[in-house]
Amino acid sequence: MTDSKPQVHLIDHPLILHKLSIMRRKDTSTSAFRALLEEISMLLGYELTRDLPVEMQDIETPLATMSAPTLQGKKVVIISVLRAGTGMLDGFLKVLPSARVGHIGLYRDPKTLIPVEYYFKVPREMADRQAIVVDPMLATGNSAIAAVERIKRTGPKQVKFLCLLAAPEGIENFHAHHPDVPIYTPAVDERLDEKGYIIPGLGDAGDRMFGTK
Ligand code: URA
């Protein structure tokens, strides 16, 4: 943990915002929603990997030898928070196909409202890796907090949290627990409603992605 101010990185690129606006529309189809989420996740993946270390390697072009920048090892693990995280995972892997992948499944106990883990699988050697946790909606923040808590126990070198939309309440709650974990998001909406949905938001991301409503 560091003493520095908790960070929220707004990745408000016009292409991302345009695609997000189409996703928000209630008449956008399931297939378009899924395709747009994948496209946005590729663009977000591009931004999030900006600080990956490179090393110089000698290569031969058809004309000469040169020292060329190459990504240093396979050091990123993308952790998908089930189930909606899978929609972001696919796009991210298109730009970083060598990334390792982990999954965490949580459900909210209806009585205690505490997130309960039902699935957890991450690669070995987490201590070498930067973990990027993906979950489209940072709403109350409770599942993101639990997911990051669990991942921190595996000892990764660094953790980042990536979402598609965040609520101010979720950001505050998340950073009260994990001030050392930066949040990356294209947009911060107005508020949460009484059921924990982001307003104006886009509805239930999992239902819209999988057509389960
Ligand atoms: N999860 C969603 O899918 N949508 C919200 O608005 C909040 C949480």
Side-chain angles (χ1 to χ4, degrees), residues 84 137-140 192 196-199 201-207:
M137 309 298 273
L138 182 61
T140 62
L192 289 182
Y197 281 93
I198 298 177
I199 302 296
L202 49 73
D204 187 298
D207 281 344

Side-chain angles (χ1 to χ4, degrees), residues 82-116:
L82 299 172
R83 75 184 156 148
T86 52
M88 297 188 82
L89 176 65
D90 295 345
F92 208 122
L93 284 175
K94 287 231 156 77
V95 292
L96 194 62
S98 61
R100 296 298 189 254
V101 175
H103 289 92
I104 179 161
L106 301 162
Y107 71 90
R108 196 150 63 141
D109 184 294
K111 285 203 186 108
T112 62
L113 301 184
I114 292 169
V116 180

Side-chain angles (χ1 to χ4, degrees), residues 13 21 34 36 50 85 87-88 112 125 134 141 149 152 168 173 176 195 199:
H13 188 289
S21 298
R34 208 184 291 149
L36 286 160
R50 194 171 273 288
M88 297 188 82
T112 62
E125 294 144 15
V134 298
E149 238 156 53
K152 279 183 173 173
N173 191 18
K195 290 187 180 143
I199 302 296

Side-chain angles (χ1 to χ4, degrees), residues 13-24 36 40:
H13 188 289
L15 282 180
I16 295 178
L17 294 183
H18 178 80
K19 290 173 195 294
L20 175 58
S21 298
I22 303 173
M23 291 181 76
R24 289 178 184 274
L36 286 160
I40 291 180

